Amino acid sequence: MPDLTTADALRLAINAMRDISESRKMPSGVAVDEKTAELHADAADVLEASLADLQAHE
């Protein structure tokens, strides 16, 4: 398994959250409603801000 940095892990999580929000489906294929899709989009925004803060400290 490759060595992952915290920034790498955040990028992967952000991408997963954005995919769920845009496709309206969980990775398993289960559909999500609009409220859940918005929640995932908001979570991606929060993680993206955390990533920016992390990169500013590196």
Side-chain angles (χ1 to χ4, degrees):
M1 183 159 118
D3 292 332
L4 291 176
T5 65
T6 301
D8 293 334
L10 280 171
R11 279 188 202 95
L12 289 169
I14 291 164
N15 288 341
M17 295 292 156
R18 296 256 184 249
D19 286 346
I20 293 166
S21 174
E22 292 170 8
S23 70
R24 309 261 176 168
K25 291 182 182 176
M26 297 298 285
S28 64
V30 174
V32 297
D33 60 17
E34 184 175 339
K35 185 105 175 145
T36 303
E38 288 175 9
L39 179 65
H40 282 80
D42 291 344
D45 291 341
V46 170
L47 290 177
E48 206 156 33
S50 296
L51 178 59
D53 290 344
L54 175 67
Q55 290 173 330
H57 288 45
E58 290 181 336

